[in-house]
Amino acid sequence: MGSEHSSSSPRPSRRQFLVGLGSATAALGAPAVLAGAAPAGAATTPPPPPAPPTPPPLNLSDIQGNVLGGFNKDNQTLLALTFPTTSAGRSWVQSVRAQIASASEVTSFNSARRAVAQRAGAQTSLLTSTWMNVAFTYAGLTALGVNSTDLSLFPQEFRSGMAARAPQLGDVGASAPSNWPLPFQRRAHALLILAADTATDLSTLTNRQLALAKKLGVKVLWTQQGSVRVDQPGHEHFGFKDGISQPGVRGVTTPSDPANPDQGIPGQDLLWPGEFVIGQPTQVGGTQPLTAMGPPSVGGPAWASNGSYLVFRRLRQDVAGFRDFVAQTAAAQGISTDLMGAKMMGRYKSGAALETTGAQAADPGLSDPTLLSDERVNDFEFGGDANGAVVPLAAHIRKTYPRDAQTRDGGEADTQTHRIMRRGIPFGASLPAGTPSTDPAARPAYPADRGLLFLCYQSSIRRQFEFVQSRWVIDPNFPRTDAGQDPVIAQNATPGSFTLPGGQPNHIALMQRFVTTTGGDYFFQPSLAALQRLAGGAPAVAAGVALPLATAPSSGSPRPPASPRRRRSKVRRPKRS
Ligand code: N7H
């Protein structure tokens, strides 16, 4: 189980992670001859890159809303549940299904909200909504009675779950699952993501879901509140602006410059949706152009199409420890704390990109807000800074997304096969500036602590989140030998180091971890059609493919009272605007 990443066996190559992505390429229209490979005797002038093929239509009404659109709400609650019986679980899925927000609703709402904001400035509060999405662990799919053939088609890492993958992820020592606070050690069956603009709306939504679970006999394992920081909205607990850089998605993200249809905002490459949604075309990698369309992503049985994999990690942040380290290291290096933090992150706290602004004593984003505009905040690459003189090779945003730089694992096209769609939100109260690290408030006990509810979507947990976390973040030899560990989030069990080119010394010891894992798991977030199937209702595949129904509940599980919605002929999808 999960041995492919263990330290006792050789680390898998990037190619091994991509197994299964190559076969259908030609069928989907990617050029048969690799770019740059010319037949003998032909002229050497390379042909112009092929125009990107037209993507197959995305059914946004069938995909859950947080995957491609992003809830983007200041208040969110995660609700973890277990199903005591198959029938209770199915009744519950049937009841929540009609309340699940689709990508079509969320993307339309977000566009309308942006338009209102542009016209009316701060009056965006005029437009509000509440959203809900649902996802399941492998244990949850099993509890819902999915048949064993279908279960066996889900990827191994998802079946194992996050706790079983702890050694590969660096979740050892204080981060080991056996040290997680108790409610988070128990394996959930389902995760509800509830989101609202106001705390009042969220509490109404949460109470309604708690009452529904109680009524249907579904057990609530834990609830976890997340909220945008009141004192520094948009900034996570270490003080950095978050949520700046995300992959763009073809067919969803609108290019800001019509002359450049392959980018959303400047610097935001558009990727094929199959990187995040199962059954859609993927990136190709290797020597193909970034625009080449790859085969559809596969991630389970046929009804997994339009679903996505969700990684949840409850990451505690030692804010006092981080502040102390930055201050002490800055003093030792003879540079400002603003610059030291930027060297570790790759951005100043305001979000200003270190690569474009260079070393400055004071955060340049504070004096020049235009550095934070959509046009400038993401418009940079690392290839021209090959040795990390400006942005160290192990800085957080360089480790997790090396952009165009050549790395141990390939070039830019390869890197684009390891992207994730981040949807995290902070939890816990802010630590007021100046709180001494000896103050108990600086190091709160579980579970009343502070950190990040890290959530990310992808079509392959192994090729995306796990690859980034285990092969990049915690490996001191990525992007190349001796680059050091990610100084912000690496979970170093034994003291690691962060390489600061030009620093004195250039290997700065990382004697402590600033981020500790305190819970988490791997979830599958099905399409809306598949939810109907999981409720024990009609087949999930809208394309007319007949699929066997989930196995019947065991005889020991009481069936829920017959309701018209459980009968196939009567099931109707709710109308969505
Ligand atoms: Fe990271 N932070 O606030 O310190 N992250 N992150 N992250 N992160 C990013 O560009 C942070 C974590 C990525 O496209 C920013 O949006 C914290 C994990 C990726 O240029 C900031 C934690 C993983 C990017 C943080 C944490 C990642 C990114 C800059 C944990 C994956 C985009 C703002 C407590 C394994 C890189 C931005 C790009 C950016 C922070 C965790 C990945 C400020 C506190 C576990 C891919």
Side-chain angles (χ1 to χ4, degrees):
M1 198 157 48
S3 61
E4 63 270 33
H5 285 196
S6 74
S7 51
S8 54
S9 61
R11 279 185 179 277
S13 70
R14 218 198 124 264
R15 284 282 148 224
Q16 281 170 293
F17 274 85
L18 293 172
V19 164
L21 282 189
S23 54
T25 309
L28 276 154
V33 178
L34 293 184
T44 49
T45 318
T54 314
L58 262 175
N59 183 358
L60 292 179
S61 305
D62 194 36
I63 300 167
Q64 292 198 45
N66 206 21
V67 182
L68 297 178
F71 285 168
N72 234 349
K73 297 293 185 199
D74 288 4
N75 303 278
Q76 301 193 23
T77 295
L78 301 180
L79 211 61
L81 307 117
T82 52
F83 309 135
T85 62
T86 300
S87 54
R90 287 183 181 179
S91 305
W92 179 80
V93 175
Q94 181 66 44
S95 296
V96 296
R97 196 183 65 82
Q99 304 166 53
I100 298 301
S102 71
S104 149
E105 290 169 322
V106 173
T107 51
S108 311
F109 176 89
N110 289 350
S111 310
R113 190 168 165 134
R114 258 193 310 275
V116 173
Q118 271 163 13
R119 180 172 51 75
Q123 292 179 34
T124 48
S125 58
L126 292 177
L127 214 52
T128 62
S129 62
T130 56
W131 301 130
M132 186 164 109
N133 270 187
V134 65
F136 304 90
T137 57
Y138 179 73
L141 295 181
T142 309
L144 286 173
V146 172
N147 68 61
S148 55
T149 311
D150 284 3
L151 284 174
S152 70
L153 295 172
F154 282 95
Q156 183 57 55
E157 69 280 2
F158 166 67
R159 288 193 270 155
S160 304
M162 185 183 283
R165 313 283 281 184
Q168 296 97 303
L169 300 176
D171 287 342
V172 293
S175 287
S178 54
N179 287 322
W180 296 352
L182 248 197
F184 299 104
Q185 282 190 29
R186 302 211 185 95
R187 195 145 195 219
H189 286 161
L191 187 75
L192 268 186
I193 306 170
L194 310 173
D197 292 283
T198 66
T200 314
D201 286 352
L202 182 66
S203 125
T204 308
L205 182 63
T206 309
N207 288 336
R208 212 183 302 141
Q209 290 310 316
L210 291 172
L212 178 73
K214 193 170 174 194
K215 182 174 148 207
L216 297 178
V218 164
K219 216 175 134 196
V220 176
L221 211 51
W222 49 259
T223 54
Q224 171 70 61
Q225 185 84 27
S227 52
V228 161
R229 289 178 58 192
V230 190
D231 54 337
Q232 272 196 294
H235 293 244
E236 54 64 60
H237 283 294
F238 291 148
F240 293 88
K241 180 92 169 63
D242 204 357
I244 300 170
S245 172
Q246 292 277 27
V249 180
R250 289 185 186 281
V252 179
T253 311
T254 311
S256 63
D257 174 5
N260 190 354
D262 297 322
Q263 292 207 333
I265 60 168
Q268 182 189 37
D269 294 319
L270 297 193
L271 306 186
W272 290 103
E275 293 299 314
F276 311 104
V277 177
I278 292 160
Q280 287 289 319
T282 49
Q283 293 298 120
V284 177
T287 53
Q288 298 267 3
L290 282 185
T291 51
M293 184 171 83
S297 44
V298 180
W303 54 266
S305 279
N306 281 344
S308 185
Y309 284 97
L310 168 66
V311 170
F312 161 56
R313 274 164 92 66
R314 186 180 188 279
L315 299 172
R316 176 180 183 266
Q317 291 176 248
D318 176 3
V319 178
F322 184 82
R323 285 180 189 163
D324 284 355
F325 177 84
V326 172
Q328 284 159 16
T329 314
Q333 295 293 326
I335 60 177
S336 71
T337 51
D338 280 6
L339 179 56
M340 188 62 223
K343 289 278 180 188
M344 293 167 71
M345 177 60 68
R347 290 188 185 275
Y348 290 90
K349 282 187 172 171
S350 64
L354 178 60
E355 193 62 58
T356 54
T357 56
Q360 304 209 21
D363 183 338
L366 300 179
S367 50
D368 180 4
T370 65
L371 292 171
L372 313 178
S373 66
D374 278 357
E375 289 68 38
R376 299 177 70 183
V377 79
N378 208 31
D379 195 14
F380 61 94
E381 302 282 10
F382 294 126
D385 179 22
N387 294 321
V390 182
V391 176
L393 301 178
H396 179 59
I397 68 161
R398 192 162 179 171
K399 270 275 197 190
T400 53
Y401 177 36
R403 298 184 180 234
D404 70 330
Q406 189 67 31
T407 76
R408 181 188 68 178
D409 288 323
E412 187 172 12
D414 296 308
T415 291
Q416 297 295 7
T417 64
H418 304 295
R419 306 289 304 280
I420 51 177
M421 194 65 84
R422 292 175 299 133
R423 299 289 183 221
I425 185 162
F427 70 92
S430 296
L431 182 68
T435 310
S437 52
T438 47
D439 186 329
R443 300 234 157 83
Y446 296 133
D449 46 3
R450 62 178 66 81
L452 183 72
L453 303 176
F454 177 84
L455 297 158
C456 74
Y457 290 98
Q458 56 258 282
S459 57
S460 165
I461 292 174
R462 187 163 180 259
R463 175 169 56 84
Q464 292 163 278
F465 165 72
E466 285 197 344
F467 195 98
V468 174
Q469 172 75 21
S470 67
R471 210 176 140 83
W472 290 359
V473 165
I474 62 173
D475 189 334
N477 294 318
F478 180 85
R480 67 169 190 233
T481 308
D482 235 12
Q485 288 183 314
D486 180 328
V488 183
I489 67 162
Q491 316 258 310
N492 51 313
T494 48
S497 71
F498 163 60
T499 303
L500 182 68
Q504 290 172 357
N506 74 347
H507 276 64
I508 294 171
L510 294 167
M511 303 302 288
Q512 69 200 92
R513 71 180 80 217
F514 305 116
V515 169
T516 304
T517 309
T518 55
D521 213 336
Y522 294 161
F523 295 85
F524 173 64
Q525 192 158 314
S527 68
L528 283 137
L531 278 177
Q532 184 169 324
R533 176 195 183 87
L534 290 171
V541 178
V545 182
L547 289 168
L549 289 172
T551 48
S554 65
S555 52
S557 311
R559 293 186 76 86
S563 97
R565 303 198 72 179
R566 285 181 56 79
R567 268 181 271 143
R568 259 167 98 168
S569 55
K570 293 269 176 74
V571 172
R572 281 213 183 86
R573 290 278 309 286
K575 274 199 174 157
R576 295 180 174 278
S577 52

